[in-house]
Amino acid sequence: MHELPITQSLLDIVLDHASRVGASRVTDVHLVVGDLAGVSSDCVEFYWEIVSRETPAEGARLHFRRVPLQFECRECGVVFERSSEGFECPSCGAEQVHVVSGDDCRLEAIDV
Ligand SMILES: [Zn+2]
């Protein structure tokens, strides 16, 4: 269960942003969640209700956008999604690849 600290830190960012723009109310929170992040949107919503209580973000709707896991080939620079065959580069066949997106959970936008 790592959703609680994630939700808490998302709330901190949201509240920080809301106070900077002078918003008294946050209505919508847009999140990007990578496939590999292992974050359950149900859990985040559950914790959100608890941690946002009595803050300007109380009652804000959460929107989740799932992004697929993407790799970049270290040899030729091609960016690709994981295929069922494995992690090799589909362009040159190299196995030296690294994750460029899909392993994180971050805030995309908030509506106030
Ligand atoms: Zn390649």
Side-chain angles (χ1 to χ4, degrees), residues 39-110:
V39 173
S40 155
S41 51
D42 286 348
C43 282
V44 173
E45 273 176 341
F46 174 77
Y47 288 128
W48 180 263
E49 255 191 69
I50 297 168
V51 298
S52 69
R53 213 164 273 165
E54 287 166 17
T55 74
E58 182 176 7
R61 279 184 300 274
L62 300 182
H63 304 271
F64 296 91
R65 187 161 69 84
R66 290 267 166 191
V67 293
L69 193 55
Q70 283 193 320
F71 300 93
E72 184 183 332
C73 175
R74 287 189 197 279
E75 295 295 322
C76 69
V78 146
V79 175
F80 59 99
E81 289 175 17
R82 183 172 56 174
S83 71
S84 49
E85 294 92 62
F87 297 94
E88 298 91 42
C89 170
S91 174
C92 72
E95 288 174 16
Q96 299 297 314
V97 299
H98 65 109
V99 177
V100 289
S101 73
D103 64 342
D104 59 345
C105 173
R106 64 181 192 276
L107 189 69
E108 186 170 47
I110 66 172

